[in-house]
């Protein structure tokens, strides 16, 4: 494959890999894999051997930490959400098949509302039978309560702005 054939998404992934790589800090890392019965197995990151190498670092530890923080900030909220498409775009997943839920705007005589649906089709041609849910104030209050309970336990959780819940 030539460089011109690589998609933009592929280029971004390569660039991200280069940015987060610790080799550019001057380290040489050994022991990422081990050979077990002729098959390579990944080793836990704690067990890697990381040594300051003989090559000159291309970035400092402070620059590397700043890069990781910036990447983490961008990963917290999916691109569609950052663009303001819908507040929960890319954050809701189907409980049955694990795919991201899609949003539908429904207009009736009495109201206009948004709902979530799963449109995943399995390889055998059957569709996911997840019913979906109307995104009403009860939904947002239940979501907010779940976030609070997870936060109370002390679990690591993605920060989400709850401006829509306040407006409901």
């Amino acid at each position: 494959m030539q460089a011109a054939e690589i998609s933009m998404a592929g280029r971004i992934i390569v660039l991200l890999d280069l940015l987060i790589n610790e080799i550019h800090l001057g380290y040489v890392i050994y022991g990422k894999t081990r050979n077990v019965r002729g098959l390579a197995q990944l080793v836990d990151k704690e067990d890697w051997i990381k040594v300051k190498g003989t090559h000159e670092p291309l970035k400092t530890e402070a620059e590397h930490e700043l890069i990781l923080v910036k990447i983490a900030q961008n990963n917290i909220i999916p691109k569609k959400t950052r663009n303001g498409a819908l507040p929960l775009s890319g954050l809701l997943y189907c409980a049955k098949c694990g795919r991201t839920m899609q949003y539908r705007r429904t207009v009736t005589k009495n109201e206009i509302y948004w709902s979530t649906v799963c449109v995943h089709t399995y390889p055998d041609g059957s569709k996911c039978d997840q019913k979906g849910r109307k995104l009403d104030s009860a939904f947002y209050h239940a979501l907010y309560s779940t976030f609070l309970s997870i936060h109370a336990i002390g679990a690591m959780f993605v920060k989400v702005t709850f401006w829509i819940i306040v407006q409901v």
Side-chain angles (χ1 to χ4, degrees), residues 103-135:
Y103 298 88
R104 290 229 170 104
R105 183 172 181 246
T106 305
V107 179
T108 65
K109 289 181 182 179
N110 302 330
E111 63 182 335
I112 299 172
Y113 63 89
W114 287 92
S115 61
T116 61
V117 292
C118 183
V119 294
H120 175 65
T121 304
Y122 294 103
D124 65 357
S126 63
K127 296 192 179 230
C128 179
D129 59 349
Q130 177 74 337
K131 296 287 186 216
R133 176 161 172 127
K134 183 177 177 180
L135 299 180

Side-chain angles (χ1 to χ4, degrees), residues 47-61:
D47 297 332
W48 292 357
I49 302 167
K50 188 165 75 168
V51 180
K52 271 291 193 187
T54 57
H55 62 281
E56 183 179 334
L58 300 175
K59 58 186 174 183
T60 65
E61 292 279 346

Side-chain angles (χ1 to χ4, degrees), residues 92-107:
L92 294 181
Y93 293 87
C94 176
K96 295 190 177 185
C97 69
R99 305 292 177 136
T100 55
M101 301 289 280
Q102 291 189 0
Y103 298 88
R104 290 229 170 104
R105 183 172 181 246
T106 305
V107 179

Side-chain angles (χ1 to χ4, degrees), residues 41-107:
Q41 284 186 342
L42 295 176
V43 176
D44 292 335
K45 199 168 186 174
E46 308 84 52
D47 297 332
W48 292 357
I49 302 167
K50 188 165 75 168
V51 180
K52 271 291 193 187
T54 57
H55 62 281
E56 183 179 334
L58 300 175
K59 58 186 174 183
T60 65
E61 292 279 346
E63 290 171 336
H64 182 69
E65 290 300 319
L66 182 64
I67 289 169
L68 293 179
V69 166
K70 290 289 186 184
I71 289 172
Q73 286 173 347
N74 287 340
N75 284 342
I76 287 174
I77 302 172
K79 188 175 182 179
K80 290 179 184 177
T81 305
R82 286 194 311 262
N83 291 339
L86 286 169
L88 297 173
S89 293
L91 295 176
L92 294 181
Y93 293 87
C94 176
K96 295 190 177 185
C97 69
R99 305 292 177 136
T100 55
M101 301 289 280
Q102 291 189 0
Y103 298 88
R104 290 229 170 104
R105 183 172 181 246
T106 305
V107 179

Side-chain angles (χ1 to χ4, degrees), residues 134-158:
K134 183 177 177 180
L135 299 180
D136 55 3
S137 61
F139 167 79
Y140 287 110
H141 288 298
L143 182 66
Y144 184 68
S145 300
T146 303
F147 288 154
L148 288 179
S149 66
I150 290 172
H151 182 68
I153 296 171
M156 186 70 164
F157 194 74
V158 175

